[in-house]
Amino acid sequence: MEIGVVGKPNVGKSTFFSAATLVDVDIANYPFTTIDANVGVSYAIAEHPCKELGCKPNPQNYEYREGKALIPIKMIDVAGLVPGAHEGRGLGNKFLDDLRMASALIHVIDATGKTDAEGQPTDYHDPVEDIEFLEREIDYWIYGILKKGWEKFAKRIKLQHMKLEQAIADHLSGIGVTEEDVWEAIHKVGLPGDPTKWSDEDLLAFVRELRKINKPIIIAANKADVATDEQIKRLIEEGKKRGYLVVPTSAAAELTLRKAAKAGFIEYIPGSSDFKIVKKMNPKQEKALQLIKEKVLDRFGSTGVQEVINRAVFELLNLIPVYPVQDENKLTDQFGNVLPHVYLLPKGSTPRDLAYKVHTDLGKTFLYAVNARTKRRVGEDYELQFNDIIKIVATAK
């Protein structure tokens, strides 16, 4: 799974990425600081089952900290986007190529309105326009891919009696579109099964719906610490009207806290509402941290960076963490490790889906599963729940 961090230049996009991953990137107050995509690892954070069950885990593919599981996800910081990117303006083509396989997008905007459409400083620019312009650029990018040769393509689908969803999904496989995505978009728009009857308006309406499904977006209202309450409230309300989650964010504050924690000055878990000073600092450093506490943590409850990531994973993508084990009583794998692995699966997944995630052969030979919490046997139609602990039983080869 890959999450793209997107937005126009100079809104704190690279700062957000650096705060989320602690990857050193170029951060400067001018457009197109990011030329090549930066790739790093961030974490979705969830309560760990051991906090409830009183066990001590031996994590192998995630981290464990103070009762929480830090589940790694791939994050990509792409080049800044400007209006007309789908036509090649700015670094448009590079931007769009970089986000091809992203499962979801975190759109970083300047909540203060102090950055214009081109990423230049200004007295005031409506940040709501930034939400709309990103939609438009991605829509016309996908539209351009489909529109080129559409008439011939649509005729071929009809004449060869091809499955419509499969044909379009194959055509758009390079941006991670699936048959299920296409089917859902077609039915939501209410388009006819004959693609030769689709007008340009129909095609664009289909693309808009497909983008919502295949590239869902969450808004990080960055620089929230210097935005007014009225600005934040308006962004949240306008985002809600358009179907978006909007999270007040201070990427600069998060980056400061994570660097201080890495240097051993404070104890801090991303997403927390406070931190603990454990090592003496100079007065300037202490003052900076105190300002973050007063202007960010006390005001918003967190810096917002981790909340954005968590909500992108658990709400936008509807993923749930599930822990496979071999011994449902001791909660261990074959080597005696307690809850060593966690997998993120789409809500609605079954034990067989989990089995395939662990290993293809395990999925093919799946018989049934055991819910380690209840010690009850469950079939392949059981719907996995958040933080389920599951033993997979399969036939011998």
Side-chain angles (χ1 to χ4, degrees), residues 268-318:
Y268 172 69
I269 294 179
S272 299
S273 60
D274 205 353
F275 56 85
K276 181 183 178 183
I277 296 176
V278 294
K279 183 178 174 183
K280 189 169 178 58
M281 294 175 281
N282 64 47
K284 187 177 178 180
Q285 290 171 321
E286 283 191 11
K287 186 178 179 181
L289 290 177
Q290 185 59 34
L291 283 173
I292 287 174
K293 177 162 174 52
E294 292 172 3
K295 294 183 176 294
V296 181
L297 301 182
D298 291 347
R299 183 180 173 194
F300 298 109
S302 78
T303 67
V305 171
Q306 190 60 51
E307 182 183 347
V308 169
I309 297 167
N310 283 356
R311 296 184 78 177
V313 172
F314 300 129
E315 291 183 45
L316 210 60
L317 294 174
N318 275 319

Side-chain angles (χ1 to χ4, degrees), residues 78-91:
V78 300
L81 184 66
V82 295
H86 69 279
E87 297 171 336
R89 281 200 69 232
L91 299 175

